[in-house]
Amino acid sequence: MRLTLYTDYSLRLLTYVALKGDRLTTIQEIAEAYDISHNHLMKVVTELGRAGIIETVRGRGGGLRLARKPEEINIGALARRMEDDGQHVECFQAATNTCRITPSCKLKHKLREALEAYYAVLDGTTLADLVEKPQPLRRLLAIPA
């Protein structure tokens, strides 16, 4: 199983914002810290804002911060939301499935089981777990304590 870059960027952004605590941060600051696209992060911020996970403050001195406590942000739920459609193989999407062996295929059941096990591990993780020992992360990302 593989997360999309969109979900990866979401997790990185949330990690960074959580490390900042109550202090506001900017998309540009996060883009520079990770050396990733500002434009991609804009899309991520829009979706995380819609989900009520982050809040944005407009204007001079604005930025973004968590809208919930890190322990309230479940990584499995986040990954499900951020993944395009959760349909990792063609046969999971009945409307567009063209695979000829679907009616007799046993692999699709194993793939579904594996996907659920994958998400079950993520379901047991919160953003707080990811930033539990913040000093090494803060050092790598050059975030002052």
Side-chain angles (χ1 to χ4, degrees):
M1 304 299 127
R2 182 177 174 187
L3 294 176
T4 61
L5 199 53
Y6 188 67
T7 303
D8 179 31
Y9 285 0
S10 300
L11 292 166
R12 290 196 222 181
L13 182 139
L14 288 173
T15 298
Y16 192 94
V17 173
L19 291 168
K20 292 282 287 208
D22 290 334
R23 294 173 290 165
L24 290 172
T25 190
T26 65
I27 295 169
Q28 187 61 40
E29 186 180 338
I30 298 166
E32 289 173 6
Y34 288 114
D35 193 26
I36 57 180
S37 165
H38 181 276
N39 290 337
H40 283 96
L41 287 178
M42 291 283 292
K43 295 174 189 173
V44 167
V45 165
T46 299
E47 183 60 27
L48 292 173
R50 273 192 211 122
I53 296 170
I54 61 167
E55 61 181 2
T56 57
V57 177
R58 295 192 178 266
R60 187 177 185 103
L64 53 111
R65 65 178 155 232
L66 294 178
R68 297 189 238 160
K69 295 176 183 173
E71 53 274 3
E72 296 172 355
I73 300 172
N74 181 276
I75 301 304
L78 175 78
R80 283 182 183 86
R81 180 179 182 105
M82 302 309 278
E83 288 298 294
D84 292 335
D85 59 9
Q87 306 303 325
H88 294 272
V89 290
E90 182 181 0
C91 59
F92 287 2
Q93 187 74 341
T96 58
N97 182 18
T98 60
C99 181
R100 292 181 177 183
I101 66 169
T102 297
S104 297
C105 183
K106 295 188 186 324
L107 179 60
K108 69 180 176 186
H109 302 293
K110 290 298 178 183
L111 291 173
R112 174 71 69 192
E113 187 179 333
L115 182 61
E116 289 308 314
Y118 176 78
Y119 280 123
V121 170
L122 296 177
D123 286 339
T125 307
T126 68
L127 182 57
D129 297 326
L130 301 182
V131 297
E132 186 177 359
K133 294 182 181 178
Q135 290 312 323
L137 291 171
R138 282 191 179 122
R139 209 172 21 258
L140 289 168
L141 295 169
I143 300 172

